[in-house]
Amino acid sequence: MPKMFFVLPGGEKREVEAPIGLSVLEIAHKNSISLEGVCEGSLACSTCHVIVDEQYFDMLDEPTENEEDMLDLAFGLTHTSRLGCQIKISEALDGLTVKLPEATRNMMVDKKAV
Ligand code: FES
């Protein structure tokens, strides 16, 4: 079973099992790691924002345009930021390390503004 690591806002590093096919958001929730995921993976929020370790960032699938639009709204965006609900674990991602941002912007997208 692949493993992955979450670096929590205080700096603590948690190692968890990462079943293939599950998203980083689902794995966080299974392990009581507080990654919000307000829209439950439907690309309508940015509360599942994670900062991916450089080493793994290039191994991920390219983000979709929708993901990029949502990431633009994420608080504390970095060049290795992704949405946790869009990262699916594969064998190759064994050891994936993501950092939780210090804060998230809890905001559903106002459909009228899109
Ligand atoms: S949970 Fe809302 S975009 Fe990931």
Side-chain angles (χ1 to χ4, degrees), residues 25 37-41 43-45 48 83 85:
L25 178 66
V38 171
C39 79
E40 295 174 353
L43 277 179
C45 74
C48 62
L83 294 179
C85 66

Side-chain angles (χ1 to χ4, degrees), residues 82-101:
R82 291 295 301 262
L83 294 179
C85 66
Q86 300 301 304
I87 305 174
K88 296 270 192 295
I89 297 299
S90 65
E91 200 80 59
L93 289 179
D94 188 18
L96 173 69
T97 304
V98 302
K99 191 166 175 279
L100 304 194

